[in-house]
Amino acid sequence: MDLARRLAPRLPFYYGWVVIAVAFVTMGVAVSARTAFSLLLPPLLNEFGWERGIVAGAFSFGFLVSAVLSPVAGRAVDRQGPRFVIGIGVCMMAAGLLLAPMIAAPWHLYATLGVLVGAGTNLMGFTVQSLYLPNWFVHRRAMAIGLAFAGVGAGAVVLLPWFQATIDQAGWRAACRAMGLLVLVVIGPLALLVRRRPEDLGLLPDGAPRAAEPGGPRRGAAIMDPAWASVEWTLAKALRTGRFWWIALGYSCALFAWYAVQVHQTKYLVEIGFSPAVGAWALGIVAVVAIPGQIGLGALSDHIGREWVWSIGCLGFAVCYATLIALGHAPSPALLWMMVLSQGLLGYALTSVMGPIVLEIFEGPHFGTIFGTLNVAMIAGGAAGPWVAGAVHDVTGRYDLSFALAAALCVVSAAAIWIAAPRRVRLVPGRIAA
């Protein structure tokens, strides 16, 4: 009998919270390791003298490779479970970070910090976590996911300053080695505790007693469109619906905005007059303030609906870009705080509803494959953001045009999710009670 099966019946609380805790730590380490690329950008540019678009393009290229792997990852989670997929992610990310110190040419950068770290993060981060975490909760689904994803903020406040300090004291190569070892010794063992569904351990979602059957009134009461909900959604069927493509558009535009600022934020702040320490601080604080945002707005979406919280998140990124443009003309602490708070407190809350939006529209045994395929669009947007921002800067010498484009795409993203309308398929628990 494995560790999870021995542990689950002995706990005085629902094992789903162990799964959330493991996801919290996994996200904190894995996503911080990828976010650290922003801190590596200045020393890489200084040492090698490559164009900014080429260096930032490594991050984007890793995202594109992740896009190709996403449908495969979704199918693997459906068939093999998340432990298998996360384990592969650990090996890929650790290899990328441990090999990064040998970078001497652009293709080395693309292979290590681009492909291995980028794809490894995808197999441990938001994509894969969103494939199985929604299975463990119904009534507090987005709140629980928000709590798990808040690990990104906790990891950032601890790991990003440490990573920057290591760069300052021992160089970027030593920092990469240290992060690679951390991924191996922390995430690898914890992945053994993860399971895809509570039913795999003889449990029910939310820790409900066995008398409450999964197909009973607790779930059925949420259905607004019985004809839609009665379909066993496969990828082929989902691809023939408008809802699938509206979600793809909404997610792609949102990830463009998310990663364009995440990769270029530190370098931009340094260019307009802030110190590298302030740039690293801002990147860390964004993730810190995301903790209450993801938990609070995730819980709010369980009461008012996923579309509203998605719109709030898009608004956060739009305000972030407006303040970044303003900072370029008149740098001030007040604008810097506005940028940090809007991006982290509001924008990062998007992650708490990414999984629930898709699950509540395409719930069924093929959800992993459907969500994994949607991640092709999501990751393509995330890959395009840093590359476009870097390329526009190389041509114009400024970020204003790409920042304005990202803000406009936030509006498109919010509109697309309202058109997809998960509320018209299943109501969130708060709406049922109302």
Side-chain angles (χ1 to χ4, degrees):
M1 184 179 294
D2 61 40
L3 180 59
R5 286 191 176 277
R6 287 200 301 266
L7 183 61
R10 297 180 182 180
L11 293 174
F13 54 86
Y14 176 47
Y15 189 80
W17 296 112
V18 173
V19 175
I20 294 297
V22 170
F24 180 94
V25 176
T26 301
M27 294 291 290
V29 176
V31 177
S32 293
R34 181 177 61 189
T35 304
F37 187 91
S38 181
L39 303 179
L40 292 170
L41 190 61
L44 287 170
L45 289 171
N46 292 336
E47 177 171 337
F48 296 107
W50 298 326
E51 289 186 354
R52 192 170 316 204
I54 289 176
V55 178
F59 188 94
S60 298
F61 185 69
F63 256 67
L64 290 174
V65 173
S66 298
V68 175
L69 293 177
S70 286
V72 179
R75 192 173 298 110
V77 171
D78 283 341
R79 295 180 179 179
Q80 304 292 333
R83 283 185 302 170
F84 174 77
V85 176
I86 293 172
I88 294 176
V90 168
C91 295
M92 292 183 70
M93 173 175 276
L97 288 165
L98 294 173
L99 291 171
M102 291 183 278
I103 289 172
W107 76 266
H108 299 159
L109 173 67
Y110 277 61
T112 56
L113 297 179
V115 173
L116 289 174
V117 172
T121 306
N122 190 41
L123 298 179
M124 294 184 284
F126 294 108
T127 299
V128 166
Q129 301 294 339
S130 295
L131 291 175
Y132 73 94
L133 290 180
N135 296 332
W136 286 86
F137 294 88
V138 175
H139 287 296
R140 292 174 288 183
R141 176 174 285 159
M143 186 275 285
I145 294 172
L147 180 60
F149 289 173
V152 175
V157 72
V158 175
L159 296 180
L160 293 183
W162 163 75
F163 193 81
Q164 182 64 54
T166 305
I167 292 174
D168 294 339
Q169 295 170 11
W172 65 269
R173 290 178 172 84
C176 287
R177 290 190 194 98
M179 186 69 84
L181 292 174
L182 187 68
V183 170
L184 277 176
V185 301
V186 173
I187 304 180
L190 286 177
L192 299 175
L193 297 173
V194 173
R195 293 294 182 278
R196 186 167 70 93
R197 303 175 306 163
E199 291 84 353
D200 295 340
L201 299 177
L203 303 172
L204 291 177
D206 297 308
R210 292 300 307 175
E213 293 300 324
R218 186 166 61 93
R219 287 192 176 188
I223 295 175
M224 294 296 291
D225 188 340
W228 182 281
S230 66
V231 175
E232 182 175 315
W233 289 103
T234 62
L235 176 60
K237 291 177 181 177
L239 287 169
R240 292 195 292 268
T241 67
R243 278 191 166 110
F244 179 94
W245 295 105
W246 284 116
I247 295 172
L249 175 63
Y251 283 13
S252 177
C253 291
L255 268 290
F256 182 105
W258 186 311
Y259 285 102
V261 67
Q262 187 179 91
V263 171
H264 291 277
Q265 172 180 305
T266 302
K267 185 64 175 175
Y268 175 72
L269 292 176
V270 171
E271 285 185 348
I272 62 176
F274 293 98
S275 69
V278 169
W281 165 85
L283 192 65
I285 294 298
V286 165
V288 172
V289 298
I291 296 174
Q294 288 170 315
I295 298 172
L297 289 175
L300 183 63
S301 82
D302 289 329
H303 291 277
I304 67 173
R306 314 304 184 197
E307 296 93 336
W308 286 106
V309 169
W310 187 268
S311 298
I312 291 170
C314 290
L315 174 64
F317 276 116
V319 172
C320 164
Y321 279 107
T323 53
L324 281 170
I325 293 172
L327 276 166
H329 298 279
S332 74
L335 284 175
L336 181 62
W337 273 106
M338 183 179 296
M339 184 275 292
V340 166
L341 291 174
S342 60
Q343 182 186 165
L345 191 63
L346 303 181
Y348 276 37
L350 293 177
T351 59
S352 65
V353 293
M354 280 180 178
I357 285 172
V358 182
L359 181 64
E360 287 159 12
I361 292 177
F362 296 111
E363 184 172 359
H366 306 288
F367 163 69
T369 304
I370 295 170
F371 189 86
T373 305
L374 278 167
N375 269 271
V376 175
M378 191 187 307
I379 295 173
W387 179 81
V388 168
V392 169
H393 185 281
D394 288 338
V395 173
T396 66
R398 301 182 62 86
Y399 281 109
D400 290 13
L401 183 60
S402 56
F403 285 175
L405 171 62
L409 291 178
C410 291
V411 178
V412 174
S413 176
I417 299 305
W418 278 99
I419 295 171
R423 71 193 181 281
R424 293 180 180 169
V425 178
R426 287 178 174 84
L427 286 179
V428 295
R431 290 295 189 186
I432 300 171

